Amino acid sequence: MPPPSASLFSPPHLSYLHSSLSLTPPIRPDARAPTSFRPLRAETDLLPAAYGSARICFADGTEAVVGVRAEVERTVHGGAAGHVRMTTQDASREGGRGGASGDDSCVEVAVEMAGQSQQQQQQQRSGGDEESGVFLEQMLREGLLADGALTARLVLGRRWHWRLFIDILLLSPPYTYPLPLLSLTTHLALLNTRLPAPISNLAEDEDPLFNDDWAAAVPLYLPSSPSPQRPPVSVLAIAVGSNIFFDPSREELAVADVVLSITFCSSSSLPPSKSNSGGVKLLAARTVEPPGRRLSAVVGTAEDQAAADGAGAGAGIWKRRAGGVGRDVLRRMVDLVIKKGGVGEEVLDALDGWV
């Protein structure tokens, strides 16, 4: 998968981008506000054989489809080889809800890139590319498991549990870093996932039997309940100078000083002991290497580099930032997401419109 590299743009273009994004107020290439996301189209329940599915297509043509499947497995306490070790607290009395917490290995995430051969994907995985499937799988899985709420929903009493398979297909070459697209699509798929309703008494350690009427299936999450339950979401934010932007385009990523992946969830999805007074809870934050860091200090031809070396700073040729950014910048990026009425609440409320 070709990275959204700064080498795709000429040095004058990069210099103009960095200057316009550093202004007060900043000017984005597509005229969006700093916290605005690209327009998108979404649909759910499009895969008939899946327990939940969703598709999202951004206005730039980047598209992803996610399907969710589930299988019942026996729980073996003590972590025997080949089995899942589950931690339960009065799970037999709670029926696998609320009082039980499942093992993280019960959730599997797989990311595939359309148009890539198995050999190409294996080369990216072995090379440690941050845009390879294995890196994206790990980041998505970490976000989904960070609050512990998902695995708790997979417990079926003391002896059984669901194993969840989340299959993600990126249908088109990504024009920007694909993590937000994959996370938003996974969020919608999980919101629309329904699991067969058990008809056996799992609290009495009976073997699991399920209702074959799909209309009686139980939602994995309950977004419309008095205390809405919603899966975590990961968004991407960048900083250029003192300005912060969300859902960056390929051009903006090319001149970013720092790229931060922020994972959050609704506070109502957490136990009372973990929730805060606001509507959004921070789960994880991870920096992503900006594409410009992979290049030489000056982007352009040998003549451009020689001219920049001779003229020094202010020559009008873009140079990548040396070193990192201050903690106050990272703190402001996170605060814009988790504050009351911030980006996090806007994203969650917008996604609820497709449920």
Side-chain angles (χ1 to χ4, degrees):
M1 178 173 58
S5 172
S7 61
L8 298 174
F9 308 103
S10 66
H13 190 189
L14 293 172
S15 179
Y16 168 77
L17 285 171
H18 192 275
S19 299
S20 60
L21 293 174
S22 302
L23 294 174
T24 305
I27 302 176
R28 303 184 74 170
D30 50 11
R32 284 184 289 150
T35 59
S36 296
F37 284 67
R38 290 166 291 168
L40 60 85
R41 300 194 311 270
E43 60 178 315
T44 58
D45 295 330
L46 67 154
L47 301 178
Y51 286 5
S53 60
R55 167 184 169 268
I56 286 183
C57 180
F58 278 127
D60 61 7
T62 310
E63 184 177 1
V65 173
V66 174
V68 180
R69 300 175 295 111
E71 295 180 357
V72 176
E73 289 187 349
R74 181 185 294 274
T75 300
V76 178
H77 299 278
H83 297 282
V84 176
R85 182 183 183 277
M86 307 289 286
T87 302
T88 59
Q89 299 172 356
D90 299 328
S92 59
R93 293 192 297 273
E94 297 291 339
R97 297 291 183 185
S101 59
D103 191 272
D104 289 353
S105 61
C106 293
V107 179
E108 296 187 11
V109 179
V111 177
E112 292 189 8
M113 316 290 181
Q116 282 193 334
S117 65
Q118 293 290 340
Q119 182 179 3
Q120 289 175 320
Q121 295 190 28
Q122 184 61 35
Q123 288 176 349
Q124 284 188 342
R125 290 171 182 265
S126 59
D129 187 356
E130 287 192 346
E131 296 166 12
S132 68
V134 66
F135 191 84
L136 294 170
E137 289 169 7
Q138 187 62 24
M139 292 189 70
L140 290 167
R141 190 171 179 275
E142 285 179 358
L144 292 173
L145 300 175
D147 61 351
L150 177 58
T151 53
R153 291 179 168 85
L154 303 179
V155 178
L156 295 170
R158 194 179 65 88
R159 296 175 54 210
W160 304 92
H161 64 271
W162 289 105
R163 177 177 290 275
L164 209 63
F165 301 90
I166 303 174
D167 300 313
I168 305 172
L169 176 61
L170 189 61
L171 293 176
S172 56
Y175 298 105
T176 185
Y177 196 73
L179 178 64
L181 169 65
L182 304 186
S183 178
L184 294 175
T185 314
T186 301
H187 178 94
L188 277 184
L190 290 174
L191 272 184
N192 288 272
T193 296
R194 303 174 68 88
L195 300 176
I199 58 177
S200 56
N201 191 351
L202 299 175
E204 300 297 332
D205 289 345
E206 294 183 6
D207 289 343
L209 297 176
F210 297 92
N211 193 333
D212 58 2
D213 183 5
W214 190 247
V218 180
L220 184 61
Y221 287 89
L222 300 172
S224 58
S225 64
S227 298
Q229 302 169 357
R230 294 175 283 195
V233 179
S234 295
V235 297
L236 210 63
I238 66 169
V240 180
S242 60
N243 296 325
I244 296 173
F245 307 92
F246 286 87
D247 189 31
S249 64
R250 177 174 57 175
E251 293 91 339
E252 293 166 338
L253 276 173
V255 296
D257 295 333
V258 63
V259 183
L260 187 67
S261 169
I262 304 171
T263 303
F264 59 92
C265 72
S266 173
S267 292
S268 58
S269 301
L270 299 173
S273 60
K274 293 186 178 181
S275 63
N276 58 8
S277 57
V280 170
K281 174 70 174 181
L282 176 67
L283 297 178
R286 179 197 288 263
T287 57
V288 179
E289 183 182 26
R293 297 289 180 91
R294 307 174 193 178
L295 307 174
S296 59
V298 178
V299 179
T301 63
E303 291 77 7
D304 294 330
Q305 296 184 24
D309 292 338
I317 298 177
W318 180 78
K319 293 184 178 182
R320 65 172 172 83
R321 181 187 180 96
V325 297
R327 293 184 180 180
D328 59 322
V329 175
L330 300 179
R331 187 180 299 109
R332 287 198 298 121
M333 297 169 79
V334 172
D335 288 343
L336 286 172
V337 174
I338 65 175
K339 70 178 182 180
K340 192 70 174 178
V343 174
E345 287 190 359
E346 292 181 3
V347 170
L348 292 175
D349 292 342
L351 290 172
D352 285 348
W354 279 286
V355 179

